[in-house]
């Protein structure tokens, strides 16, 4: 009984750990990708988003 509970706990905590690890890796990849994007492209994207929101 205790070994089953311990197994379920380890699997559950391991799943949460893997999810958080992948989330952090994804955020770092996104940060690097945005750092490599030029500021002109970002301002064009921001303007397009603002225009689309304004038309709604």
């Amino acid at each position: 009984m205790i070994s089953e509970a311990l197994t379920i706990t380890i699997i559950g905590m391991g799943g949460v750990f893997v999810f958080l690890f992948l989330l952090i890796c994804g955020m770092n990849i996104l940060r690097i990708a945005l750092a490599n994007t030029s500021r002109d492209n970002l301002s064009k994207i921001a303007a397009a988003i603002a225009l689309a929101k304004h038309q709604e």
Side-chain angles (χ1 to χ4, degrees):
M1 184 74 176
I2 292 182
S3 64
E4 292 173 359
L6 184 61
T7 303
I8 291 172
T9 302
I10 290 173
I11 290 173
M13 291 177 68
V16 170
F17 177 77
V18 169
F19 172 74
L20 291 175
F21 179 75
L22 291 175
L23 184 66
I24 290 171
C25 288
M27 290 175 62
N28 283 330
I29 291 170
L30 185 62
R31 178 183 55 89
I32 292 169
L34 287 177
N36 291 336
T37 305
S38 68
R39 294 290 176 198
D40 293 336
N41 288 342
L42 290 178
S43 59
K44 288 178 184 177
I45 292 170
I49 293 172
L51 182 63
K53 288 289 185 183
H54 181 61
Q55 290 178 352
E56 289 181 351

